[in-house]
Amino acid sequence: MSLLSEQQINFDLGDRLRDAGHVTAEFLSDIVHATCRRLPSNQSAKAARIERLIESQAWTDAALALIDLELPQWQVRRLAYDDGEWHCALSRQRELPDWLDQSIETRHADLALAILSAFVEAQRISATSIRTSVPSAPWRADTLYEPICSDNFA
């Protein structure tokens, strides 16, 4: 599957997560099939636990277990309920102060969907970051961009 089609699936999945009212077993299995690489091929105790959680409709625990299995480098930084919405923040470096950390923050009226939204976004970021061996900086030059020399030759 190409990178472009993977990103399209994740954007469509993000829209579905944003518009969903609650989690169902079918919806969670769609998320697993679209984003998870380790779970279908993994026959470990963690994968079996996720399947049991889905069968018992423990959506929040299943979402947290998916993060633990699929994205071990990501951790939940914050779960908060404010003004009728759950806010979820995932981070690679939880020990950093908020203003230094590059965390993923999502929100939804349903706790499990807020966590799953953050999971899908972290999957998207992780998938694009592991594609190259050399880090690249984003190039966003403005159309009015013009380099200047600021040395003082006087």
Side-chain angles (χ1 to χ4, degrees):
M1 184 180 289
S2 71
L3 180 61
L4 185 59
S5 62
E6 283 181 17
Q7 285 181 344
Q8 185 63 34
I9 288 170
N10 286 335
F11 287 130
D12 293 342
L13 199 54
D15 291 340
R16 285 182 60 195
L17 280 163
R18 193 173 23 262
D19 296 337
H22 60 279
V23 182
T24 62
E26 295 82 20
F27 187 47
L28 192 54
S29 67
D30 288 347
I31 292 170
V32 167
H33 289 351
T35 61
C36 296
R37 292 189 174 100
R38 294 181 186 167
L39 184 63
S41 63
N42 196 344
Q43 298 302 323
S44 69
K46 287 183 178 182
R49 180 175 177 258
I50 292 171
E51 289 174 11
R52 283 193 313 273
L53 289 169
I54 292 171
E55 288 172 4
S56 63
Q57 298 182 357
W59 309 128
T60 303
D61 291 335
L64 292 171
L66 276 174
I67 293 170
D68 184 40
L69 178 66
E70 289 289 322
L71 300 169
Q73 70 276 19
W74 290 87
Q75 298 173 342
V76 176
R77 180 177 184 90
R78 181 179 58 248
L79 282 175
Y81 185 76
D82 184 32
D83 202 23
E85 288 187 322
W86 284 98
H87 298 264
C88 177
L90 293 182
S91 173
R92 287 186 180 158
Q93 297 150 349
R94 250 185 358 188
E95 291 76 27
L96 287 177
D98 283 344
W99 58 277
L100 280 177
D101 187 25
Q102 294 179 346
S103 63
I104 294 172
E105 297 189 25
T106 59
R107 62 190 173 150
H108 200 280
D110 185 62
L111 175 60
L113 288 172
I115 295 169
L116 287 170
S117 296
F119 168 72
V120 168
E121 183 65 19
Q123 270 295 57
R124 186 183 64 78
I125 289 173
S126 295
T128 57
S129 67
I130 61 173
R131 294 282 180 197
T132 62
S133 61
V134 178
S136 63
W139 176 254
R140 296 184 191 126
D142 192 9
T143 55
L144 301 175
Y145 173 77
E146 201 172 310
I148 61 170
C149 180
S150 60
D151 290 339
N152 185 359
F153 295 108

